[in-house]
Amino acid sequence: MDEVPLKTIWIGVCAAVVCSPALAQSTVTLYGSQDVGVGYFNNVGGSGKWTTVNTMSPDRFGLVGQEDLGGGLKSVFRLENGFYTTTGAMALPGTIFNRQAYVGLSWGRLGTLTLGRQTPFNFDWLGPISTAYNAADWYMFHPGNIDELAATSNVQYSNSLKFTTSNYGGLSAGAMLGLGNTANFGFGRNVSVGINFERGALRASAVYSNEHNRSVLISTTGIASFQGQPAPNYMADRVENIGAGANYNVIDKLTLHALYTRTKLTSGQRSDVYQTIDGGATYRLTPAYSIAAGAFTTTLSGMRWTEYTVGTVYALSKATQLYADALVEKASGGAKAAIFTVGSSSNSSQIGVIAGLHHSF
């Protein structure tokens, strides 16, 4: 989810005295997000569970900056680390800038080319259309995050090149290539392409990705094994991911959203399709207070997970919000209920209630 930087650190603050005019046009912004709450889930492995939660926005801090090179050309960079406020631990042990780390060039007339560790367009453009994003509820991301809408540590493409066009009348497009960095060009190669349109009340996006030799969080769906592999160690030979959706502001205070994703998972001679329909609405009662409701239904190999949520966010300021959510998941087709990252239920249903505080800087 987008950061809300409130403080910009200007490199070359001493420019008026000793620095050159070129340095005076360089900027670096320090930003971050911290989110901690308390949640209760009625059935995790057969028992009720009280736990701290991170619900509205992932904990992170980062640096983003640019330098004006003249003629409309700029150099850009981002370094972003995910962590847990509750423990102080990094989201991906041993990798400090685990969310994003890239550098590149941007030209206003054409677009931006960046190189490094970056998020695919599923996260960039489809994620903001999901109920999880619009209802500010992490636990509404789809089982296993197999459609890559949330920035879990296995979603990003390392060793990647990414180009996003400038905005032309509301329309932009992008293409991305992740290299496996092996002698076999096909091993670990990932490709993501997409288009995004934003004008007036409408935002719409469509994305396609084709990924090779990817670890997939299939175990968080509650499945013990998948395609002949133990679920905790499942590695797909190929992941084909498509999705499309839209947000629409019906009136000033009401936003509707709908999203469809379809993922084909292939390992050896076996393949299965994971698909999700997601939708909901957000209503802003006042500039500071909003309520949201949404649902999704996901199918995989005859199994189904359907989840509903209703929640509210109250902004104490532009940087600080209080939130509360209630959610319920129902499973069928032999599946166990398994709200994303909570742990699977001992049966086909799971209920959660959460509340917390979010702050951005």
Side-chain angles (χ1 to χ4, degrees):
M1 298 179 185
D2 294 335
E3 64 274 347
V4 187
L6 297 181
K7 180 178 180 181
T8 299
I9 303 174
W10 290 87
I11 292 182
V13 66
C14 59
V17 181
V18 295
C19 295
S20 71
L23 287 177
Q25 298 178 42
S26 298
T27 64
V28 177
T29 300
L30 169 67
Y31 66 88
S33 173
Q34 291 184 270
D35 185 327
V36 179
V38 176
Y40 174 76
F41 298 92
N42 73 319
N43 187 332
V44 180
S47 302
K49 180 180 179 180
W50 286 96
T51 182
T52 53
V53 296
N54 174 234
T55 303
M56 187 172 174
S57 184
D59 293 340
R60 64 194 184 277
F61 70 85
L63 296 168
V64 62
Q66 64 179 37
E67 180 186 7
D68 190 344
L69 302 175
L73 185 67
K74 298 177 181 179
S75 61
V76 297
F77 81 91
R78 183 184 298 269
L79 297 170
E80 183 174 291
N81 176 60
F83 66 98
Y84 301 109
T85 295
T86 51
T87 64
M90 289 188 290
L92 181 61
T95 305
I96 183 169
F97 296 116
N98 46 68
R99 287 179 63 89
Q100 295 199 75
Y102 64 75
V103 64
L105 294 173
S106 178
W107 189 34
R109 297 179 183 178
L110 184 60
T112 301
L113 174 67
T114 50
L115 301 91
R117 177 175 170 83
Q118 304 173 83
T119 51
F121 294 107
N122 299 62
F123 170 81
D124 296 345
W125 288 343
L126 295 184
I129 299 174
S130 67
T131 293
Y133 189 99
N134 285 276
D137 189 345
W138 168 266
Y139 300 104
M140 282 299 294
F141 281 114
H142 310 147
N145 192 39
I146 294 168
D147 48 12
E148 301 180 346
L149 305 185
T152 51
S153 59
N154 68 326
V155 165
Q156 293 84 348
Y157 294 0
S158 293
N159 311 305
S160 66
L161 297 84
K162 184 177 187 180
F163 178 74
T164 306
T165 69
S166 296
N167 187 311
Y168 298 103
L171 182 66
S172 56
M176 186 175 180
L177 172 65
L179 300 174
N181 275 16
T182 70
N184 180 351
F185 180 71
F187 187 89
R189 186 184 71 234
N190 304 309
V191 175
S192 180
V193 295
I195 56 173
N196 186 60
F197 180 81
E198 294 184 57
R199 178 183 284 183
L202 176 66
R203 172 178 184 168
S205 300
V207 169
Y208 170 78
S209 65
N210 189 328
E211 304 166 353
H212 295 78
N213 313 105
R214 297 279 282 175
S215 76
V216 178
L217 300 179
I218 198 78
S219 62
T220 62
T221 65
I223 298 173
S225 64
F226 185 68
Q227 294 182 347
Q229 299 183 43
N233 303 316
Y234 175 72
M235 176 79 70
D237 294 334
R238 187 173 179 181
V239 179
E240 289 183 275
N241 215 330
I242 64 172
N247 283 357
Y248 187 74
N249 295 323
V250 180
I251 57 175
D252 220 20
K253 295 183 178 181
L254 177 65
T255 300
L256 302 180
H257 60 90
L259 174 67
Y260 171 75
T261 63
R262 182 183 187 276
T263 306
K264 185 178 180 181
L265 300 167
T266 301
S267 176
Q269 300 301 310
R270 304 178 65 172
S271 64
D272 293 271
V273 173
Y274 167 105
Q275 56 185 337
T276 298
I277 299 172
D278 182 320
T282 302
Y283 187 78
R284 292 166 291 281
L285 287 85
T286 72
Y289 181 49
S290 65
I291 58 174
F296 70 75
T297 186
T298 297
T299 57
L300 173 66
S301 303
M303 296 174 286
R304 181 182 294 273
W305 299 265
T306 301
E307 189 168 326
Y308 309 88
T309 189
V310 60
T312 182
V313 176
Y314 182 76
L316 300 175
S317 71
K318 290 183 177 180
T320 305
Q321 302 86 32
L322 299 172
Y323 61 81
D325 297 270
L327 54 159
V328 58
E329 182 175 287
K330 296 288 186 180
S332 60
K336 294 180 179 179
I339 293 172
F340 183 51
T341 68
V342 168
S344 64
S345 171
S346 62
N347 56 34
S348 61
S349 68
Q350 196 170 51
I351 297 171
V353 181
I354 54 184
L357 170 69
H358 172 256
H359 177 74
S360 298
F361 59 88

